[in-house]
């Protein structure tokens, strides 16, 4: 089999990334878009995650990127051409079969707003895990604005160690609040001090990179839980996301799906318990959005005690208490969505807001919402 022209493939993947960003970039809040642009600039220009790039060159790059988006906004995603063969850009398994021997890996999927997301990078490791093919990517050669620590397409799971560095350092930089407290406690379990990392980041870069690599395993376990959880019908879930994109329903449906994966017998929380890695629970609580915490108060309460002393039995009890309630909320949500087929989307969104969102104290009166 001839060697893959990785430069040509990277250019093709990058074009699809740009098309996706052009069509969906406006869905982010201004703050969320600027943060993503900053990290994408750093990744493309070799700027360390803890450094702030010079504003002049970055603003020029942003202007050029916006112009390219205008040019591509009406374009379609293109197949990937490898050695004369055209492959669907979402055919992760076939693409990776070609890339593996060359030391590279590829991931594709859909994120919030059904935004297509793609990444091509250097392959760090490859193994089977509970029936899934697990690949871990290091340095990324092409990526779009969005980021998830791990992605799954079919039976292939991709962990993103290189991208995790930017994600992790953003949380290190959080000035205060629960995120900083969880980060400080988690780093302490790893023998690191948050204040020292903030004051001398370059000196601690290698140690933080090791933490990031270890935490990718946590998110591979999330994907394992998602692959095995059958609480929700996947087709119905995908249809609900499409019918209610960029609303509270999408946000709640995605959050509950995440929590069903995390509380599954083969999911993230059981993995953290079995690995007896308290830092992973604390980092998890630092990383997840507030809605996740509101929906699993038992796990948050256990995590609060992990700040000073891990109690694995308490984590098990918290997971065991949270799981049936999350299952019940997910089924209630989809019962309302099903009833909404008769009453219309406005009725559905109001019912979900009043019955499921308001009791959490998570949102204001409007039934629509967008991710940052």
């Amino acid at each position: 089999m001839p060697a893959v022209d990785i430069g040509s493939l990277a250019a093709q993947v990058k074009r699809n990334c740009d098309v996706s960003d052009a069509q969906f970039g406006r869905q982010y809040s201004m703050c969320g878009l600027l943060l993503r642009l900053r990290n994408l600039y750093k990744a493309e220009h070799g700027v360390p995650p803890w450094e702030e790039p010079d504003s002049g060159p970055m603003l020029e790059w942003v202007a050029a990127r916006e112009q390219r988006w205008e040019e591509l906004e009406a374009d379609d995603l293109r197949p990937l051409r490898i050695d004369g063969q055209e492959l669907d850009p979402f055919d992760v398994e076939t693409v990776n079969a070609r890339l593996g021997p060359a030391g590279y890996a590829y991931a594709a999927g859909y994120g919030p707003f059904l935004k297509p997301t793609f990444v091509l990078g250097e392959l760090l490791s490859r193994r089977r895990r509970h029936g899934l093919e697990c690949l871990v990517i290091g340095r990324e050669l092409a990526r779009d604005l969005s980021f998830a620590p791990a992605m799954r397409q079919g039976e292939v799971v991709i962990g993103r160690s290189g991208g995790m560095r930017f994600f992790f350092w953003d949380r290190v930089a959080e000035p205060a609040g629960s995120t900083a407290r969880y980060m400080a406690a988690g780093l302490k379990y790893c023998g690191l001090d948050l204040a020292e990392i903030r004051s001398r980041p370059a000196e601690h870069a290698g140690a933080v990179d090791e933490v990031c690599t270890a935490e990718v395993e946590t998110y591979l376990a999330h994907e394992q839980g998602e692959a095995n959880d059958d609480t929700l019908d996947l087709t119905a879930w995908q249809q609900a996301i499409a019918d209610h994109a960029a609303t509270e329903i999408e946000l709640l449906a995605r959050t509950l799906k995440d929590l069903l994966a995390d509380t599954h017998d083969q999911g993230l929380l059981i993995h953290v318990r079995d690995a007896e890695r308290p830092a992973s629970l604390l980092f998890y609580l630092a990383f997840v959005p507030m809605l996740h915490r509101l929906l699993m108060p038992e796990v948050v309460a256990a995590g609060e005690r992990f700040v000073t002393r891990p109690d694995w039995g308490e984590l098990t009890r918290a997971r065991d208490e949270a799981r049936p309630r999350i299952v019940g909320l997910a089924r209630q949500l989809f019962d309302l969505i099903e009833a909404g087929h008769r009453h219309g989307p406005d009725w559905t969104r109001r019912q979900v807001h009043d019955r499921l969102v308001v009791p959490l104290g998570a949102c204001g009166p409007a039934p629509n919402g967008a991710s940052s």
Side-chain angles (χ1 to χ4, degrees), residues 283-329:
F283 292 145
Y284 170 68
L285 292 174
F287 296 163
V288 294
M290 180 56 70
L291 183 57
H292 287 65
R293 298 182 206 170
L294 290 171
L295 285 165
M296 53 175 186
E298 305 90 344
V299 175
V300 172
E304 286 292 328
R305 294 180 179 84
F306 270 60
V307 170
T308 55
R309 182 180 62 84
D311 184 334
W312 300 109
E314 183 172 5
L315 177 60
T316 299
R317 291 189 293 275
R319 174 263 182 187
D320 291 347
E321 291 175 14
R323 170 106 184 142
R325 187 171 42 75
I326 291 167
V327 169
L329 284 170

Side-chain angles (χ1 to χ4, degrees), residues 61-344:
W61 175 86
V62 170
R65 186 55 52 100
E66 289 177 338
Q67 182 176 348
R68 177 160 173 78
W69 287 354
E70 290 180 4
E71 296 168 355
L72 293 174
E73 190 169 8
D75 283 14
D76 296 325
L77 299 173
R78 290 179 180 171
L80 300 179
R81 193 170 185 82
I82 302 178
D83 297 329
Q85 181 183 7
E86 287 193 349
L87 300 175
D88 187 297
F90 294 98
D91 188 355
V92 173
E93 187 173 354
T94 302
V95 174
N96 278 311
R98 299 298 312 276
L99 290 180
Y104 297 92
Y106 172 75
Y110 291 93
F113 323 117
L114 293 181
K115 180 187 187 300
T117 182
F118 309 99
V119 60
L120 174 70
E122 296 175 349
L123 179 62
L124 291 182
S125 65
R126 182 174 199 157
R127 69 187 188 281
R128 298 291 298 181
R129 174 174 174 162
H130 301 296
L132 296 177
E133 184 80 4
C134 295
L135 315 178
V136 177
I137 291 176
R139 185 173 69 95
E140 296 180 349
L141 307 180
R143 53 161 289 186
D144 65 289
L145 282 173
S146 51
F147 172 77
M151 302 163 60
R152 180 174 65 91
Q153 186 78 356
E155 300 302 310
V156 179
V157 178
I158 308 289
R160 298 176 62 179
S161 179
M164 184 72 173
R165 297 172 70 233
F166 295 94
F167 182 75
F168 196 92
W169 279 98
D170 283 341
R171 272 64 188 175
V172 167
E174 289 281 347
S178 59
T179 294
R181 187 160 51 85
Y182 289 136
M183 288 297 297
L187 288 166
K188 186 175 181 180
Y189 279 114
C190 299
L192 298 169
D193 180 83
L194 178 59
E196 290 185 6
I197 291 173
R198 285 176 171 173
S199 62
R200 298 190 300 278
E203 296 180 19
H204 300 282
V208 173
D209 282 353
E210 290 180 5
V211 173
C212 292
T213 299
E215 289 313 305
V216 168
E217 294 296 318
T218 305
Y219 290 92
L220 293 177
H222 166 87
E223 299 299 331
Q224 180 69 47
E226 185 175 275
N228 285 277
D229 186 81
D230 59 0
T231 303
L232 300 175
D233 178 81
L234 181 58
T235 300
W237 183 87
Q238 292 172 333
Q239 187 61 54
I241 295 298
D243 290 344
H244 300 281
T247 69
E248 281 182 343
I249 290 180
E250 180 188 5
L251 178 61
L252 189 57
R254 287 188 180 279
T255 300
L256 288 169
K257 191 167 185 287
D258 282 345
L259 296 181
L260 288 169
D262 293 340
T263 59
H264 191 271
D265 289 348
Q266 293 187 15
L268 184 150
L269 293 175
I270 296 299
H271 165 80
V272 169
R273 182 201 66 184
D274 292 347
E276 293 192 353
R277 185 175 165 81
S280 293
L281 177 63
L282 293 164
F283 292 145
Y284 170 68
L285 292 174
F287 296 163
V288 294
M290 180 56 70
L291 183 57
H292 287 65
R293 298 182 206 170
L294 290 171
L295 285 165
M296 53 175 186
E298 305 90 344
V299 175
V300 172
E304 286 292 328
R305 294 180 179 84
F306 270 60
V307 170
T308 55
R309 182 180 62 84
D311 184 334
W312 300 109
E314 183 172 5
L315 177 60
T316 299
R317 291 189 293 275
R319 174 263 182 187
D320 291 347
E321 291 175 14
R323 170 106 184 142
R325 187 171 42 75
I326 291 167
V327 169
L329 284 170
R331 289 174 174 161
Q332 187 178 355
L333 171 64
F334 278 83
D335 285 345
L336 288 172
I337 292 172
E338 178 65 26
H341 294 157
R342 300 187 299 274
H343 299 285

